[in-house]
Amino acid sequence: MRLAVYPGSFDPITFGHLDVIERAGRLFDRLVVAVLVNTRKSPSMPAEDRAHIIREAIDEELGSSGAAIEVIVFEGLTVDLARQRGAMAIVRGLRALSDFENELAIAHLNRKLAPEVDTVFFMTGVEHAYLSSGLVREIAAFDGDISAMVPAAAARGLRRAATLPGA
Ligand code: PNS
């Protein structure tokens, strides 16, 4: 059983994330998409809501090919999750050169903490190379059209969060 974990903030999931999920889902027998805490960011909605949106997006956009993909919320280190689940790899997406330095640091530190777990990078599809959750949130905050950037489930989630602030 080749299992991988894909950690991230997913605030919210974009088509770039979904592209990585779909491709990683094909490469591994099982993929655990994990909403984790990034201490350098303050999230716009609770982790459980972000995980719920990811599950909806996978079901709606990937259909039966999403069956071996699990979505969870995890509090702690990515490597602890990887070890708990017996994962052989951590999956991350790379959009542009600007992602590289940060991702390199995380991958090296994770490898120091858990040498048996490798990080596997997916080049995000070129059509999603300039997409980020932060920019999507900014466009959504001003009622811009985000339908080409995020799955419908994420657009619905952002609308819900805007109408029920703090909920
Ligand atoms: O989507 P993001 O915000 O780029 O994801 C970053 C994330 C959540 C994967 C990273 O902050 C993380 O791994 N957080 C969990 C805590 C951890 O393991 N930190 C060590 C990284 S060296």
Side-chain angles (χ1 to χ4, degrees):
M1 166 76 89
R2 298 164 77 85
L3 189 143
V5 295
Y6 179 19
S9 305
F10 304 107
D11 188 21
I13 183 173
T14 67
F15 279 130
H17 294 126
L18 197 63
D19 173 51
V20 171
I21 290 173
E22 182 176 20
R23 287 155 61 203
R26 279 202 298 265
L27 206 63
F28 294 97
D29 298 317
R30 194 160 182 84
L31 181 70
V32 177
V33 179
V35 178
L36 266 84
V37 175
N38 182 340
T39 52
R40 289 167 292 173
K41 295 178 182 170
S42 39
S44 68
M45 57 179 119
E48 284 71 20
D49 292 3
R50 284 176 275 151
H52 180 75
I53 289 170
I54 299 170
R55 183 72 261 166
E56 277 187 333
I58 291 170
D59 292 344
E60 290 172 11
E61 311 280 339
L62 305 187
S64 59
S65 57
I69 301 168
E70 192 182 340
V71 183
I72 64 162
V73 172
F74 186 80
E75 270 185 52
L77 294 172
T78 298
V79 290
D80 288 340
L81 169 64
R83 279 186 167 148
Q84 255 181 41
R85 303 301 293 255
M88 63 182 297
I90 295 167
V91 164
R92 292 286 286 169
L94 274 180
R95 287 165 300 189
L97 205 56
S98 49
D99 282 340
F100 187 77
E101 207 160 309
N102 184 45
E103 292 300 331
L104 193 67
I106 295 178
H108 280 313
L109 289 174
N110 280 338
R111 190 104 197 276
K112 214 177 259 301
L113 293 168
E116 76 282 14
V117 185
D118 254 306
T119 299
V120 175
F121 291 104
F122 285 79
M123 295 296 172
T124 306
V126 72
E127 65 277 31
H128 309 305
Y130 295 99
L131 201 51
S132 76
S133 299
L135 290 177
V136 164
R137 285 198 309 276
E138 189 169 316
I139 295 166
F142 292 105
D143 254 341
D145 181 8
I146 53 168
S147 58
M149 302 168 199
V150 297
R156 290 197 303 271
L158 285 173
R159 273 199 300 275
R160 255 194 326 265
T163 49
L164 299 168

